[in-house]
Amino acid sequence: MSSIPAFVPIAPMSRGLALITYIVLALAATLLVVGPKIVVAIVAVIFAAVWLWYRPGGFEVRDGCLVIRWPLRQRRIALETVVSATPVTKEELHARYGRGIRIGAGGLWGVFGLYRTPRQLFDIYVTNTYRLLVIERVDDRPLIISPADPHEMAQLLSTTRANAGS
């Protein structure tokens, strides 16, 4: 069964993540001027990997799946495995699961990879710490994502799951 894709872009960077990104970019620009070529090359590869492989451009709901889209890859999550999609604030996330630590890419264009709290290990793809959506799944790690509009994304997932079930 085919469906019309619904694309929701990733949220613009929140102020804190943007500040960290600008600092990292400024340090990299300085490195371009004064650094050894091998170090510059390594930094360039890391930046490209984060942009092309770790930082998604948005989220799509199509063909019974949530599709996380990157420039060089995509990840499909069957909607039948989604238990809930709940918009939360950073404070609500911390209250519910405890403060956590990021494992993966972080500070350059957002936070991507894994997020470990005292109560849960998440997959995380976040560019805005004020627009969070927690997606609980059956038999797999939950996701934390930051779509441009978490409430719209939660509604889209809920409606699409309900329509698929009828």
Side-chain angles (χ1 to χ4, degrees):
M1 173 190 240
S2 178
S3 61
I4 298 171
F7 182 79
V8 178
I10 199 158
M13 283 190 294
S14 55
R15 185 173 295 183
L17 291 174
L19 179 62
I20 293 168
T21 297
Y22 298 144
I23 290 169
V24 170
L25 291 173
L27 291 172
T30 303
L31 187 62
L32 281 173
V33 175
V34 299
K37 288 184 179 173
I38 186 69
V39 173
V40 171
I42 291 169
V43 169
V45 167
I46 291 169
F47 278 33
V50 171
W51 186 262
L52 298 171
W53 195 257
Y54 292 104
R55 182 191 187 277
F59 312 95
E60 217 174 346
V61 178
R62 71 163 195 251
D63 301 326
C65 292
L66 166 63
V67 182
I68 304 172
R69 302 189 61 85
W70 291 268
L72 294 181
R73 66 182 176 123
Q74 66 179 9
R75 178 177 176 189
R76 299 172 67 85
I77 297 166
L79 292 180
E80 64 195 26
T81 69
V82 173
V83 175
S84 65
T86 309
V88 297
T89 65
K90 180 173 52 172
E91 293 75 19
E92 290 169 334
L93 182 73
H94 292 161
R96 210 173 279 171
Y97 299 101
R99 290 190 176 272
I101 185 168
R102 175 211 22 92
I103 305 163
L108 185 61
W109 298 300
V111 175
F112 318 108
L114 298 174
Y115 185 66
R116 161 79 62 197
T117 72
R119 296 184 196 104
Q120 187 68 54
L121 177 65
F122 295 90
D123 290 334
I124 188 167
Y125 306 106
V126 169
T127 54
N128 190 306
T129 56
Y130 300 101
R131 297 182 189 184
L132 302 174
L133 183 65
V134 175
I135 301 174
E136 299 280 347
R137 300 184 298 155
V138 176
D139 298 331
D140 210 345
R141 279 191 300 267
L143 301 165
I144 304 172
I145 62 174
S146 60
D149 185 337
H151 295 280
E152 174 191 357
M153 187 79 204
Q155 183 64 42
L156 179 61
L157 290 169
S158 175
T159 302
T160 306
R161 277 191 358 251
N163 289 342
S166 45

